[in-house]
């Protein structure tokens, strides 16, 4: 018995004095003492030589020794845990036992979620994405869209003008991108660029009183398809496809005649209320229908304004807001929440990708 205890004491001294300069030395420590042919294993096997009377005491001694070795191993490891933090090949010591810095996962903004969803549906139909400027000249926001100066329809959209230049406005709709894309396609060296099949998301501005239901800036998505022989039937089929992908196969659709200066004929499209299914609720104001977009056949004047021959080409266009469908989908009851950047609001959409 005495001899086992003495042996252990001697080993403990040796082990206490052990220092390791790098991982290799720690590894040799592990192999020598804790490995499958190591000292701890072999000394444990001495149990069988201990007389039954001393077994209990010897067992305690051996277990305590094993713990001692394991603790030494752990302390060697944490003392030499190093990392090259500066990238200069030299390592500095880091305490890996400290809790890590939290890495919060960001969330996509609900407007972005809704925009991506709408865009991806049209991308599957072969529409490409285009963007245009938010500070726009009068021609692209109004004139080319068949809204000459003093045209009463300009009042449909309360405009922010830019003080420095009376010709500039904050665009009131994404329809300006239609014009820019058609102009590009009609440049002499771009004649081959027709047909145009594009979807154009972006932010728009209107001089409106901010409330729970309306804001001075919001988002729209514009669609445009120009080619030979494009008809109203193409417009309807495209929008039917969109609506079914967006709101499900059972949704009902209706077109109401409407007026936009840049389309003729023009229509507004309603879908059966996806909150109450058409039976009537507060969202659809008891009508069973929710208006989601304006659309129509591109007015011949608009094509001519962009130097596209209206006798050869026809086109359809549509424009829809993004906030409203996002509010309906996520149950958001105040449009101002979208731009307040309240983290408690934004965090709720982490899982909604
Ligand atoms: N620009 C219109 C608006 O902001 C929406 C719109 C209606 C766009 C009909 C279109 C369209 O392209 O064809 O209210």
């Amino acid at each position: 018995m005495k001899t086992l205890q003495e042996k252990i004491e001697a080993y403990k001294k040796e082990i206490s004095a052990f220092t390791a300069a790098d991982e290799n030395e720690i590894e040799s420590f592990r192999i020598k003492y804790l490995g499958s042919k190591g000292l701890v294993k072999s000394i444990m096997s001495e149990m069988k030589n201990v007389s039954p009377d001393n077994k209990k005491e010897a067992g305690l001694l051996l277990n305590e020794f094993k713990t001692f070795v394991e603790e030494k191993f752990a302390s060697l490891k944490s003392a030499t845990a190093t990392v090259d933090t500066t990238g200069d090949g030299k390592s500095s010591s880091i305490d890996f036992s400290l809790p890590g810095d939290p890495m919060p996962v960001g969330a996509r903004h609900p407007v972005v979620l809704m925009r991506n969803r709408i865009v991806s549906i049209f991308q599957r139909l072969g529409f490409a994405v285009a963007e245009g400027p938010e500070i726009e000249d009068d021609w692209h926001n109004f004139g080319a869209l068949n809204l000459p100066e003093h045209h009463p329809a300009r009042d449909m959209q309360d405009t922010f003008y830019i003080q420095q230049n009376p010709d500039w406005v904050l665009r009131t709709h994404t329809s300006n991108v239609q014009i820019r894309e058609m102009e590009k396609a009609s440049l002499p060296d771009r004649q081959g660029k027709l047909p145009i099949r594009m979807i154009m998301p972006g932010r728009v501005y209107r001089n409106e009183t901010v409330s729970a239901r309306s804001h001075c800036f919001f988002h729209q998505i514009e669609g445009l398809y120009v080619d030979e022989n494009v008809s109203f039937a193409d417009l309807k089929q495209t929008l039917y496809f969109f609506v079914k992908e967006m709101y499900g196969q059972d949704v009902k659709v209706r077109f109401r005649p409407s007026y936009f200066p840049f389309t003729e004929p023009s229509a507004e499209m309603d879908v059966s209320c996806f909150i109450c299914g058409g039976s009537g609720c507060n969202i659809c104001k008891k009508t069973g229908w929710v208006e989601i977009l304006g659309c129509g056949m591109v007015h011949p004047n608009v094509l001519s304004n962009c130097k596209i021959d209206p006798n050869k080409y026809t086109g359809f266009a549509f424009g829809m807001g993004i906030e409203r469908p996002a509010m309906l989908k996520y149950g958001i009851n105040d449009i101002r929440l979208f731009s307040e950047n309240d983290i408690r609001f934004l965090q709720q959409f982490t899982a909604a990708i």
Side-chain angles (χ1 to χ4, degrees):
M1 193 59 230
K2 189 92 192 128
T3 49
L4 182 64
Q5 195 164 357
E6 276 171 357
K7 252 193 216 167
I8 287 178
E9 285 311 319
Y11 285 136
K12 273 186 167 177
K13 260 197 202 125
E14 178 187 318
I15 289 164
S16 293
F18 188 93
T19 54
D22 58 26
E23 273 162 23
N24 288 340
E25 290 184 15
I26 298 176
E27 180 58 5
S28 20
F29 176 93
R30 189 191 65 77
I31 294 167
K32 181 169 174 195
Y33 295 105
L34 293 167
S36 54
K37 297 198 180 92
L39 183 91
V40 171
K41 273 263 159 59
S42 79
I43 205 163
M44 286 287 189
S45 69
E46 291 201 29
M47 269 299 270
K48 61 179 180 292
N49 307 326
V50 177
S51 69
D53 287 353
N54 292 331
K55 272 221 169 12
K56 192 173 168 207
E57 198 192 338
L60 281 172
L61 211 60
L62 287 168
N63 274 336
E64 190 253 332
F65 178 60
K66 187 174 173 220
T67 314
F68 174 82
V69 181
E70 283 168 347
E71 277 171 7
K72 173 73 183 183
F73 178 59
S75 81
L76 285 172
K77 268 202 339 196
S78 71
T80 56
T82 56
V83 109
D84 177 8
T85 49
T86 49
D88 60 1
K90 292 190 198 111
S91 45
S92 60
S93 153
I94 281 186
D95 184 352
F96 286 110
S97 64
L98 287 174
D101 289 337
M103 281 208 266
V105 178
R108 277 185 225 275
H109 194 282
V111 166
V112 173
L113 291 172
M114 186 46 75
R115 181 198 68 196
N116 290 353
R117 194 149 166 230
I118 298 171
V119 165
S120 81
I121 295 173
F122 285 103
Q123 278 180 322
R124 275 186 276 147
L125 289 175
F127 283 71
V129 178
E131 286 184 357
E134 290 178 26
I135 298 177
E136 189 53 284
D137 56 52
D138 193 273
W139 170 251
H140 290 92
N141 194 79
F142 292 124
L145 286 156
N146 210 22
L147 275 144
E149 225 180 310
H150 309 304
H151 191 290
R154 283 197 182 202
D155 296 341
M156 281 163 74
Q157 304 174 351
D158 294 318
T159 311
F160 282 120
Y161 290 89
I162 307 250
Q163 237 166 22
Q164 284 88 335
N165 186 335
D167 191 42
W168 287 349
V169 298
L170 293 182
R171 68 173 174 196
T172 55
H173 50 190
T174 42
S175 304
N176 68 324
V177 195
Q178 276 191 36
I179 301 301
R180 291 195 170 270
E181 290 304 317
M182 283 194 274
E183 281 177 345
K184 269 195 239 163
S186 65
L187 290 174
D189 57 332
R190 299 271 308 255
Q191 281 297 327
K193 285 292 166 197
L194 287 163
I196 298 172
R197 209 187 287 118
M198 281 184 168
I199 191 94
M200 300 156 262
R203 178 178 274 190
V204 302
Y205 302 83
R206 293 203 193 161
N207 192 357
E208 284 188 37
T209 316
V210 175
S211 72
R213 308 201 109 241
S214 66
H215 209 285
C216 57
F217 64 79
F218 53 98
H219 297 77
Q220 286 188 336
I221 293 196
E222 192 85 6
L224 176 69
Y225 184 20
V226 182
D227 198 357
E228 291 177 45
N229 300 320
V230 175
S231 71
F232 203 89
D234 296 314
L235 169 64
K236 285 175 84 174
Q237 282 311 317
T238 305
L239 294 178
Y240 282 152
F241 176 82
F242 164 68
V243 162
K244 306 230 150 165
E245 290 297 302
M246 185 80 182
Y247 298 109
Q249 296 301 313
D250 299 332
V251 72
K252 288 199 221 35
V253 178
R254 76 175 182 190
F255 286 86
R256 279 179 293 106
S258 184
Y259 171 75
F260 300 103
F262 31 90
T263 44
E264 182 57 39
S266 303
E268 278 170 296
M269 191 176 86
D270 299 342
V271 293
S272 50
C273 180
F274 29 84
I275 304 296
C276 64
S279 56
C281 67
N282 283 343
I283 300 291
C284 61
K285 300 197 195 92
K286 311 260 185 264
T287 62
W289 296 97
V290 181
E291 185 218 311
I292 58 165
L293 55 80
C295 60
M297 299 304 294
V298 180
H299 197 292
N301 290 355
V302 175
L303 292 171
S304 306
N305 286 339
C306 302
K307 310 217 164 34
I308 291 176
D309 182 358
N311 295 316
K312 187 167 179 211
Y313 294 101
T314 49
F316 68 70
F318 56 87
M320 67 182 109
I322 301 183
E323 273 81 353
R324 204 139 73 102
M327 288 169 84
L328 292 171
K329 177 161 172 53
Y330 301 119
I332 299 164
N333 57 11
D334 190 328
I335 196 170
R336 291 169 293 199
L337 286 165
F338 288 118
S339 49
E340 280 170 356
N341 283 336
D342 186 328
I343 203 86
R344 293 166 303 180
F345 169 73
L346 297 171
Q347 265 170 348
Q348 295 178 51
F349 302 93
T350 353
I353 299 168

